[in-house]
């Protein structure tokens, strides 16, 4: 090495040694970052990252900057546990996730034991908070046992004289929603004509479409993801069926129409009131739009998870697990979802579900 190069090298080392490390607080996001549900993982990352950017722009949290670490659980229980352990190694202080119930339930004891707050923007199964392993487990989404009763009552009232089929994809989310919907339908005095499981692994929709056709089904309630719902409604239309499709919240993505095409027009779905239309979310929605991001589905709940946690940390004046968990449980927080508070199980006081309808290129509120 020449003397000139050596001098430059030593100067660079001296500058690095003299520059203090930037303090950081790591936040984790875990969900499906690959596969046919990756759109939802991308929404989670977009929402959490925007919240982080907004907090950092105001000076950070407790004098430190926030950074994001994303993990791909592929909606798989074993992978979720693996991701949870990886996140512990990255020293995260908050987990925004996991997205679905099975992954969230498996991962929650890992986070509790490590002293990490977990706020899921999508885990709807009751067990997630009913049996939570510790006080730092929360959710910012509606429960299946609240969505199902509304769906069943709607089907019984709106389609009292119609033949109704309930089909689910075999996942914990799908099976739980389908069972809750059937129970409410039956309690309202109406019986379903078909109750069936269709697993995406079956690949062949022919038997399902054949049965729905043979039974002359007027209304199909499908509890599963947007890809399968899109494929099913296309096949039904190809078979000449005019069956009305009604689903849970999984259709809340533009990718549904990319799969369903014109057949998706008129599909109905249940989801909480759109937070993107609320004044509390206007500024965040605008900043997201400037980046080409639509604030749909899990974007704003993920933003609100970071927002509520950061407010709790600021109020507690500490990152301590017990202190932050206690603060989240005791205080109310202004978020892009509105003013929220958590009950003694860790469930947020979110608005109930409403009905949406897919139009030619977007969804909007539909009359119940």
């Amino acid at each position: 090495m020449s003397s000139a190069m050596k001098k430059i090298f030593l100067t660079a080392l001296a500058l690095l040694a003299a520059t203090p490390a930037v303090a950081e607080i790591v936040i984790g996001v875990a969900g499906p970052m690959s596969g046919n549900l990756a759109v939802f993982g991308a929404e989670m990352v977009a929402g959490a990252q925007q919240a982080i950017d907004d907090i950092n722009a105001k000076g950070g949290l407790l004098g430190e900057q926030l950074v994001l670490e994303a993990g791909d659980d592929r909606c798989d229980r074993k992978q979720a546990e693996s991701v949870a352990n990886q996140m512990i190694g990255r020293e995260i202080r908050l987990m925004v996730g996991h997205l679905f119930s099975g992954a969230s339930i498996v991962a929650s004891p890992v986070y509790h034991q490590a002293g990490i707050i977990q706020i899921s923007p999508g885990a709807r199964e009751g067990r997630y908070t009913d049996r939570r392993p510790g006080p730092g487990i929360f959710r910012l989404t509606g429960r299946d046992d609240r969505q199902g009763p509304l769906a069943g009552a709607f089907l019984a009232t709106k389609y009292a004289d119609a033949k109704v089929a309930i089909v689910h994809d075999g996942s914990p989310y799908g099976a739980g929603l389908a069972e809750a919907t059937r129970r409410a339908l039956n309690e309202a005095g109406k019986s379903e004509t078909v109750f069936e499981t269709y697993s995406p692994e079956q690949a062949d929709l022919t038997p399902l479409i054949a049965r729905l056709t043979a039974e002359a089904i007027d209304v199909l309630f499908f509890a599963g993801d947007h890809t399968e719902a899109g494929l099913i409604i296309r096949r039904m239309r190809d078979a000449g069926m005019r069956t009305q499709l009604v689903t849970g919240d999984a259709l809340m993505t533009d990718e549904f129409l990319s799969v369903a095409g014109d057949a998706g027009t008129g599909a109905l779905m249940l989801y909480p009131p759109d937070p993107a239309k609320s004044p509390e979310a206007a500024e965040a929605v605008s900043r997201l739009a400037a980046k080409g991001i639509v604030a749909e589905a899990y974007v704003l709940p993920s933003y609100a998870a970071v927002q509520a946690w950061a407010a709790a940390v600021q109020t507690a004046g500490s990152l301590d697990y017990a202190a932050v968990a206690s603060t989240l449980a005791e205080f109310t927080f202004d978020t892009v979802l509105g003013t929220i508070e958590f009950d003694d199980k860790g469930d947020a006081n979110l608005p109930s579900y409403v009905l949406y309808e897919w139009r030619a290129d977007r969804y909007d509120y539909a009359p119940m």
Side-chain angles (χ1 to χ4, degrees), residues 20 29 57 110 137 229 315 321:
V29 172
V110 180
I137 309 301
T315 300
Y321 174 74

Side-chain angles (χ1 to χ4, degrees), residues 144 165-182 192 194-202 205 208 211-212 220-225 228-229 232 245-248 250:
D144 285 340
I166 300 175
V167 177
H168 67 85
D169 64 358
S171 67
Y173 160 79
L177 177 56
E179 289 288 354
T181 300
R182 174 166 67 171
E192 73 282 1
V194 171
F195 187 90
E196 190 164 319
T197 303
Y198 166 72
S199 171
E201 284 72 26
Q202 294 174 226
L205 278 167
L208 174 63
R211 184 176 182 195
L212 297 177
L220 168 64
F221 182 83
F222 179 70
D225 73 56
E228 299 307 317
I232 289 171
L245 175 65
V246 183
T247 75

Side-chain angles (χ1 to χ4, degrees), residues 54-194:
D54 291 346
I55 292 169
N56 286 342
K58 296 178 180 178
L61 184 64
L62 300 183
E64 300 184 29
Q65 293 285 286
L66 304 180
V67 296
L68 187 69
E69 284 279 353
D72 183 9
D73 66 14
R74 302 195 296 270
C75 293
D76 177 81
R77 291 171 182 260
K78 290 183 179 179
Q79 182 64 14
E81 188 171 6
S82 175
V83 167
N85 283 300
Q86 291 170 16
M87 288 294 179
I88 292 173
R90 294 167 187 169
E91 299 183 344
I92 68 168
R93 307 309 294 261
L94 166 69
M95 166 49 64
V96 179
H98 297 224
L99 184 58
F100 294 117
S101 298
S104 297
I105 291 169
V106 167
S108 59
V110 180
Y111 297 123
H112 168 60
Q113 291 167 12
I116 296 168
I117 300 293
Q118 179 186 12
I119 305 177
S120 172
R124 303 189 183 279
E125 189 174 342
R127 285 189 304 148
Y128 171 63
T129 51
D130 289 348
R131 303 179 186 177
R132 65 177 181 163
I137 309 301
F138 301 89
R139 80 168 110 216
L140 273 175
T141 187
R143 296 168 57 111
D144 285 340
D145 51 14
R146 295 173 187 169
Q147 183 178 184
L150 181 61
F154 169 71
L155 293 171
T157 302
K158 179 75 172 179
Y159 303 105
D161 299 322
K163 289 187 175 182
V164 174
I166 300 175
V167 177
H168 67 85
D169 64 358
S171 67
Y173 160 79
L177 177 56
E179 289 288 354
T181 300
R182 174 166 67 171
R183 187 161 52 249
L185 182 73
N186 296 165
E187 289 173 354
K190 182 174 177 59
S191 297
E192 73 282 1
T193 303
V194 171

Side-chain angles (χ1 to χ4, degrees), residues 263-283:
T265 302
L268 301 174
M269 57 185 173
L270 291 163
Y271 198 78
D274 187 358
K277 296 182 178 181
S278 69
E280 293 90 345
E283 291 185 7

